[in-house]
Amino acid sequence: PNYVTARGFALLCAELEALGPSAGDAELARRRAELEERIASAELVPIPLESNGVVRFGASVGVEDESGARRYRIVGVDEADPAQGTIAFVSPLARALLGHRAGDTVLFRAPGGEQQLEITAVEYEADPDA
C-alpha cells in the first residue's frame, strides 16, 4: 500500500501540478505518469489523536544510542528523506521502532552492524496539511 500523511499527499499533488504539460518530453511524461499512479494509489493515514505512547505511522520518535540522540518521523515512502529526519514506514529502522514505546530498547540492523537504540520520546504532531 502507498500510505501517506496529509503532508506527503500534498507534496505529491504539488509536484504533479508544478510539472505542467508534458507534451513532447518523454522524461517529463514518465514522471507525470509515475506521480499520477502514486496519487491514485495513495491511502491517507490520519495522525492519531491518542497514541497511548506507541510508535505508529506519523510518529515523531526520539532515539538515543552511544553516538547520541536523534529524532525521526515515520512517514510514507514518497515523503521519506532520512537527511531531513523522515524515514519510510517500510525502512528497517522504522520497522524496528513500530509498536514500541518510550523507554523501550530495540535492536536495529544497520548497514554497519546491529545497533541498540533506546526510544526516548514518542510524539504525534498535527499534520500541517491535514
Side-chain angles (χ1 to χ4, degrees), residues 27-87:
E27 184 64 25
L28 194 58
R30 183 199 60 73
R31 181 62 183 152
R32 176 178 271 296
E34 183 179 277
L35 285 168
E36 288 171 345
E37 181 180 324
R38 298 300 293 169
I39 290 168
S41 66
E43 290 185 38
L44 184 64
V45 178
I47 303 301
L49 297 176
E50 293 190 27
S51 68
N52 298 324
V54 177
V55 178
R56 303 263 183 250
F57 187 94
S60 181
V61 184
V63 298
E64 192 170 322
D65 63 10
E66 64 277 349
S67 66
R70 297 174 301 289
R71 180 170 289 279
Y72 299 101
R73 183 164 183 232
I74 300 174
V75 297
V77 172
D78 295 308
E79 65 185 303
D81 183 354
Q84 297 299 313
T86 55
I87 57 173

